[in-house]
Amino acid sequence: MSDIRQPGGKSRILGIIGYPVEHSLSPLMHNAALSEARLDYWYLPFAVHPDRLGEAIAGVRALGITGFSVTIPHKVAVIPFLDQLDETAEAAGAVNTVVNRDGRLIGYNTDGDGLVRSLADELGFNCANPGTIIIAGAGGAARGAVAAFCRSGASRIAIINRSREKAEAIAEICGSRYPGTAILVAGHGRELGPCLKEATLLVNSTSLGMQGEPLPFLNLEELPRSMAVYDMVYAPPVTPLLREAAARGLKVANGLGMLVAQGEIAYRIWTGFPPPAGAMRKAISETFAP
Ligand code: NAP
């Protein structure tokens, strides 16, 4: 067999739709894994203007594209164009992965489960513990994360967000869907009180940290020393939150593992196989190498 991989008549096409999409690391990550597995799939970036989303999805159907990732700004807007939503997408209220099964487009959300997997792999953290998981932020990433924590058996989750009503909306949706998990809500004040003492994990799902900003509304000194800290932000790789937590001796990880794990789950949905171990991580780590 030739070492040069080339598309042919039976090749299958995968891709990512976003706007912009040039910055996405997904093509690099997926093509590295597909190439190592010698699967005849090709993953391409598609910059789709929001006004042309419907046409793009019609194109997916017409061209028989096997599946695609969905990124900003289409994660919610794509939903009406799909035929079915998996539980993960229903609960997250957003889609980041679509598979074309015999002409039916099915939406998934692999971000939350990717986070849960990354927490287990990198921090040895099991969500099914009796303590409190604190999540800062209540945007799209937080909703997927809260839903995944609930599915993974979390006892209690506290959502802290600048706009308290967004945290309340997530608590209401996930609370009625997953009644086995208690969900508390707080603004940037001090309402969380005693439950901070029972925290086993703090996750930053705000965009704070991307420009080097700290999380001004949480004082790590009030949190247990046994707690782990996870930042969904991965660029920069060490945010002020992670720096401070590591200096206090807490276990820390950034969002690179989540990025990789959500991609690994999507790859399996499309191809039916897990990607070669470590292939996506290796491809992406090289991008962040100093
Ligand atoms: P989003 O929907 O825009 O939500 C942003 C969140 O950040 C909101 O809760 C917002 O609070 C909060 N926020 C923004 N600026 C703030 C400020 N100055 N002070 C306090 N809170 C502030 O974004 P998202 O899609 O959820 O993404 C959030 C972060 O997760 C981003 O950094 C993104 O890159 C990261 N992410 C990482 C992965 C991964 O694979 N590692 C996957 C998804 C997302 P308000 O509600 O009050 O506006």
Side-chain angles (χ1 to χ4, degrees), residues 218-285:
L218 266 176
N219 182 357
L220 289 187
E221 280 177 23
E222 293 177 19
L223 297 167
R225 287 195 167 268
S226 54
M227 185 187 70
V229 176
Y230 193 94
D231 202 328
M232 286 195 193
V233 173
Y234 53 83
V238 184
T239 58
L241 170 68
L242 292 188
R243 192 172 302 115
E244 189 190 338
R248 294 183 63 76
L250 307 181
K251 282 205 263 184
V252 298
N254 71 20
L256 203 60
M258 174 179 174
L259 179 71
V260 170
Q262 63 76 28
E264 289 176 340
I265 297 168
Y267 178 109
R268 190 170 191 152
I269 290 170
W270 296 321
T271 68
F273 302 104
M280 290 192 180
R281 180 90 197 198
K282 181 167 176 282
I284 231 167
S285 300

Side-chain angles (χ1 to χ4, degrees), residues 71-72 75 96 110-112 114-115 118 136-144 159-167 170 188 204-210 213-217 230-235 254-263:
T71 190
I72 293 166
K75 286 186 171 187
N96 78 336
T110 66
D111 278 335
L115 170 63
S118 174
R143 180 163 160 187
I159 311 171
I160 307 180
N161 196 47
R162 177 176 62 180
S163 317
R164 194 188 155 104
E165 66 284 0
K166 283 207 217 161
I170 295 180
H188 281 184
N204 175 36
S205 80
T206 74
S207 37
L208 293 172
M210 295 177 86
E213 320 91 311
L215 278 195
F217 50 89
Y230 193 94
D231 202 328
M232 286 195 193
V233 173
Y234 53 83
N254 71 20
L256 203 60
M258 174 179 174
L259 179 71
V260 170
Q262 63 76 28

Side-chain angles (χ1 to χ4, degrees), residues 1-6 35 38 42:
M1 192 194 290
S2 160
D3 274 350
I4 301 173
R5 218 174 139 252
Q6 285 185 357
S35 172
R38 302 197 74 83
W42 303 80

Side-chain angles (χ1 to χ4, degrees), residues 44-276:
L44 302 169
F46 297 106
V48 175
H49 188 278
D51 292 345
R52 307 199 67 179
L53 181 59
E55 284 174 76
I57 303 303
V60 164
R61 294 179 192 275
L63 295 170
I65 285 174
T66 299
F68 57 98
S69 310
V70 184
T71 190
I72 293 166
H74 303 314
K75 286 186 171 187
V76 176
V78 76
I79 291 175
F81 299 104
L82 305 179
D83 300 305
Q84 191 182 326
L85 293 186
D86 175 70
E87 156 75 17
T88 52
E90 289 258 13
V95 164
N96 78 336
T97 301
V98 176
V99 65
N100 183 348
R101 293 217 192 287
D102 303 322
R104 284 182 60 75
L105 299 186
I106 307 168
Y108 292 75
N109 193 308
T110 66
D111 278 335
D113 289 343
L115 170 63
V116 168
R117 189 186 283 187
S118 174
L119 288 167
D121 290 350
E122 282 161 88
L123 297 173
F125 183 83
N126 177 359
C127 293
N129 69 70
T132 303
I133 296 175
I134 301 176
I135 181 156
R143 180 163 160 187
V146 170
F149 291 151
C150 293
R151 283 195 299 276
S152 305
S155 308
R156 198 177 316 107
I157 301 170
I159 311 171
I160 307 180
N161 196 47
R162 177 176 62 180
S163 317
R164 194 188 155 104
E165 66 284 0
K166 283 207 217 161
E168 277 163 359
I170 295 180
E172 199 176 313
I173 294 160
C174 291
S176 57
R177 221 180 167 93
Y178 305 110
T181 303
I183 306 180
L184 318 174
V185 163
H188 281 184
R190 305 207 147 254
E191 307 106 288
L192 281 178
C195 96
L196 291 179
K197 300 261 175 289
E198 290 150 27
T200 47
L201 174 72
L202 166 64
V203 176
N204 175 36
S205 80
T206 74
S207 37
L208 293 172
M210 295 177 86
Q211 312 296 331
E213 320 91 311
L215 278 195
F217 50 89
L218 266 176
N219 182 357
L220 289 187
E221 280 177 23
E222 293 177 19
L223 297 167
R225 287 195 167 268
S226 54
M227 185 187 70
V229 176
Y230 193 94
D231 202 328
M232 286 195 193
V233 173
Y234 53 83
V238 184
T239 58
L241 170 68
L242 292 188
R243 192 172 302 115
E244 189 190 338
R248 294 183 63 76
L250 307 181
K251 282 205 263 184
V252 298
N254 71 20
L256 203 60
M258 174 179 174
L259 179 71
V260 170
Q262 63 76 28
E264 289 176 340
I265 297 168
Y267 178 109
R268 190 170 191 152
I269 290 170
W270 296 321
T271 68
F273 302 104

